[in-house]
Amino acid sequence: MLQVNNLQAGYGGLQVLWDVSLSVSEGEFVALIGPNGAGKTTTLRTIAGLVKPRSGGVTFMGRPVDGLPAYQISRLGISFVTEELDLFESMSVRENLLLGAYTIQDRRKKQDSLDRVLQLFPRLGEREKQLAGTLSGGERKMLAIGRGLMSDPRLLLVDEPSLGLAPKLVLSVYEALLELHRRGVTILLVEQNVNTTLHIVDRGYVMEQGKIVLQGTSAELLADAYLQDTYMGTDVSLV
Amino acid sequence: MDLSTVWDLFVTGILRGGLYALMAGGLALLFGVMNICNFAHGELFIIGSYMAYFAHVTFGLSPLLAILVATLGSFVAGILIEKTFFSTLRKTSKGEWVMNAFLVTLGLSVVFQNGAQLIWGVKYRGITQYWEGTIQLTPRMAIAADRAVAFLISIGAIVLFWLFMRRTQIGRAIRAVSQNERGAMLVGINLNNIHTLTFALGSMLAGLGGASLLSLIPAYPFAGVKPNIRSWFVVTVVGLGNVGGAIIGGFIVGLLESFAYYFLGQGWQDVASLVMLILLLLFKPSGLFGSEVKGVLER
């Protein structure tokens, strides 16, 4: 479904991604893990069209999408939930969600999407009239993911949803992602929290200094000696 | 001073405020959504006056039709201006956008003033009135039907504009762009289209003001200077980029001028306004309704 081939990208004079290749198949839950500054976020931004690649390509559903503006990529069915969430802070929860379905013209489809998202995150229903800027940290993540789902995307990119959340809330965000996965949404998740992440995804890529250094199924990665030494020494499992 | 004087001053102020609200609302929209400090806002006003004049006098259209033509014409003019200048500029200037865009508007206003002078000459093109008659508001006070209709038109336009921004999908998208451009792109909003539409809307509101007040302010190459300064005054008082505030601010400034005119005498209303502006900038630089919340139409 998603193919990233030998991607090189960066900001200004700084190159961040060096020859990154990865792929996600329909219905898969894939994680991109690695330390801070490894280039995980830049990879997602490049896929979503916020950063233009210097070379290499991105193919989605068999068609090249690199170089397309972000709004067109979004219309092709890729939703990107950024680390900063990029909510419309002075708009209500409901308006944020409706904007998530901006590209859906059919009123009934829009309402269906809204019902589906509110069923998944009942909390958002309770806060429907509240301004996004007044929500708590966990609710904000829910809203960002919910907004990303409103367009009924084929692929969901999620950047560090656990960041800044209390462990209990991290769990509920992960549960929501798992539930989405069970419903058939394809997800590419970026995380620093290696151990927990590998327990919920099907497959993972490990990124360090702008390169993919390891890849495999979650079982393989969990058993990997290098990963255990480097990332899981002190990590407390939450699942 | 008796109560009816207060009432008269109030009515005058509100009538005046309708125009200010229309102009300042558009100006605030341009800043809030596109970060453009538009110093050619008065020229957009004059484009409306000229179009209404030609439609009404030269082509003999009925007043309402002439105003409608001028309003739509200003909308189209806004599209052309945005596509030609700002859309091009946006591609080339990233960091210095606010300054560059501001300079472009200044340049546009000079070019327009001199262009209009070249084409149409330094000649007032006005009408005495669109509609005849007066409306008796109080036993002592009658206002020209023209003023009343112009006022109703601006109120109508403001209400429609408000509903458009609040209730429609596209209005919501405009507000979304003003709050978070990246978020807007990620939900599939084409920023270029929204920018063009926003400029066209701001231009349309100004043009509508110029067209409906043709009997009061005739079309003239330099007639945009005053409306421009007035609308800038209003948005500075309420806080830049706040459309709701600008609309209320328009009425506040209209009232202030009307009362200052009565109590201090002719010519002093500007002094009163500017003193208020200076005091405000000294003690609350973010403006009357200024806040940290970013958004073009939020409280």
Side-chain angles (χ1 to χ4, degrees):
Chain A
M1 174 184 240
L2 177 77
Q3 284 282 348
V4 175
N5 301 317
N6 310 102
L7 204 61
Q8 317 248 10
Y11 308 94
L14 177 74
Q15 180 156 351
V16 180
L17 301 185
W18 302 87
D19 214 26
V20 170
S21 296
L22 58 87
S23 71
V24 181
S25 312
E26 182 106 46
E28 252 193 324
F29 192 174
V30 177
L32 184 57
I33 49 186
N36 226 342
K40 308 183 297 292
T41 298
T42 307
T43 307
L44 290 193
R45 282 186 186 159
T46 314
I47 297 172
L50 294 174
V51 173
K52 301 275 167 265
R54 299 198 176 157
S55 72
V58 181
T59 322
F60 180 63
M61 311 291 292
R63 95 172 248 201
V65 295
D66 47 281
L68 288 185
Y71 79 91
Q72 276 182 17
I73 293 182
S74 151
R75 288 174 184 194
L76 289 173
I78 299 183
S79 263
F80 180 19
V81 180
T82 59
E83 191 184 313
E84 298 84 359
L85 306 181
D86 289 310
L87 295 173
F88 307 120
E89 306 277 341
S90 336
M91 283 197 222
S92 69
V93 167
R94 187 186 166 80
E95 282 189 303
N96 268 276
L97 290 176
L98 287 176
L99 276 164
Y102 179 74
T103 48
I104 300 182
Q105 296 301 327
D106 189 340
R107 263 168 191 275
R108 186 130 43 91
K109 266 195 191 159
K110 211 176 244 199
Q111 188 59 45
D112 286 350
S113 268
L114 190 61
D115 292 343
R116 203 157 22 86
V117 168
L118 291 183
Q119 188 223 334
L120 188 69
F121 302 117
R123 188 87 182 147
L124 294 181
E126 294 163 25
R127 312 254 158 192
E128 219 173 330
K129 297 237 154 56
Q130 214 170 308
L131 296 187
T134 65
L135 298 180
S136 72
E139 290 163 350
R140 290 167 59 82
K141 306 259 171 172
M142 299 291 176
L143 179 55
I145 296 173
R147 190 182 70 182
L149 289 172
M150 282 294 291
S151 57
D152 204 4
R154 297 168 199 265
L155 173 66
L156 189 65
L157 309 174
V158 191
D159 195 3
E160 305 239 13
S162 69
L163 199 82
L165 287 188
K168 206 178 139 197
L169 286 170
V170 173
L171 264 185
S172 68
V173 169
Y174 280 179
E175 267 160 23
L177 290 178
L178 265 176
E179 174 59 25
L180 285 176
H181 176 47
R182 274 195 289 274
R183 294 183 186 193
V185 181
T186 313
I187 305 173
L188 177 57
L189 170 70
V190 155
E191 262 300 346
Q192 284 192 54
N193 190 338
V194 174
N195 198 2
T196 319
T197 307
L198 285 179
H199 278 98
I200 60 168
V201 299
D202 305 326
R203 222 152 51 74
Y205 292 87
V206 182
M207 206 168 183
E208 279 177 9
Q209 295 177 1
K211 297 181 179 111
I212 303 278
V213 293
L214 257 182
Q215 57 174 302
T217 64
S218 14
E220 284 165 10
L221 289 178
L222 279 168
D224 188 90
Y226 171 74
L227 260 195
Q228 282 197 338
D229 279 0
T230 347
Y231 293 100
M232 294 181 228
T234 54
D235 201 357
V236 180
S237 173
L238 294 168
V239 176
Chain B
M1 185 174 83
D2 56 42
L3 213 60
S4 70
T5 312
V6 175
W7 173 242
D8 291 354
L9 291 174
F10 182 78
V11 170
T12 317
I14 291 289
L15 284 178
R16 199 190 281 255
L19 169 71
Y20 294 170
L22 206 57
M23 293 287 291
L27 191 59
L29 181 74
L30 295 189
F31 183 78
V33 178
M34 306 174 72
N35 275 315
I36 295 179
C37 293
N38 184 22
F39 266 75
H41 210 59
E43 277 60 52
L44 300 176
F45 174 91
I46 292 305
I47 289 179
S49 324
Y50 270 116
M51 286 198 216
Y53 178 85
F54 291 128
H56 183 55
V57 177
T58 315
F59 294 100
L61 296 184
S62 73
L64 274 184
L65 208 55
I67 292 173
L68 186 69
V69 165
T71 308
L72 295 178
S74 301
F75 185 84
V76 175
I79 294 180
L80 294 177
I81 295 172
E82 205 280 335
K83 282 280 179 217
T84 320
F85 300 101
F86 297 103
S87 158
T88 321
L89 182 69
R90 195 172 282 275
K91 288 188 192 105
T92 52
S93 73
K94 290 283 172 225
E96 303 84 26
W97 164 259
V98 173
M99 190 54 163
N100 289 347
F102 160 67
L103 292 174
V104 166
T105 68
L106 268 188
L108 279 176
S109 113
V110 173
V111 168
F112 180 88
Q113 289 174 3
N114 290 287
Q117 196 178 347
L118 191 71
I119 302 170
W120 297 305
V122 191
K123 183 184 160 200
Y124 289 98
R125 285 167 209 269
I127 53 171
T128 41
Q129 59 199 12
Y130 281 122
W131 291 277
E132 285 183 22
T134 53
I135 294 170
Q136 202 73 31
L137 278 181
T138 60
R140 288 189 324 161
M141 189 194 191
I143 56 168
D146 237 50
R147 284 307 302 268
V149 177
F151 176 74
L152 290 179
I153 289 175
S154 31
I155 296 299
I158 288 169
V159 170
L160 281 180
F161 172 68
W162 190 268
L163 288 175
F164 169 76
M165 292 291 281
R166 283 256 153 218
R167 298 259 183 273
T168 68
Q169 161 109 324
I170 305 205
R172 211 178 275 139
I174 294 179
R175 287 189 293 136
V177 172
S178 81
Q179 291 180 32
N180 192 322
E181 288 202 354
R182 193 166 75 182
M185 281 191 274
L186 290 175
V187 297
I189 296 172
N190 182 343
L191 290 191
N192 292 336
N193 289 351
I194 293 295
H195 285 149
T196 306
L197 176 68
T198 304
F199 198 89
L201 279 174
S203 162
M204 183 178 89
L205 292 179
L208 173 62
S212 56
L213 284 180
L214 187 59
S215 62
L216 207 70
I217 306 170
Y220 174 72
F222 306 100
V225 175
K226 264 196 166 169
N228 184 47
I229 302 286
R230 273 290 168 281
S231 20
W232 266 101
F233 174 66
V234 173
V235 297
T236 316
V237 165
V238 296
L240 257 76
N242 178 341
V243 174
I247 291 170
I248 300 168
F251 289 102
I252 295 178
V253 172
L255 288 170
L256 182 79
E257 286 188 0
S258 149
F259 279 86
Y261 183 91
Y262 179 83
F263 287 109
L264 303 173
Q266 184 169 15
W268 285 88
Q269 72 267 36
D270 289 349
V271 177
S273 307
L274 290 171
V275 166
M276 175 172 146
L277 182 62
I278 291 169
L279 288 177
L280 208 80
L281 288 177
L282 280 176
F283 296 107
K284 194 171 184 311
S286 56
L288 274 185
F289 307 114
S291 69
E292 298 305 311
V293 180
K294 178 143 170 60
V296 73
L297 207 78
E298 326 302 327
R299 289 137 303 217

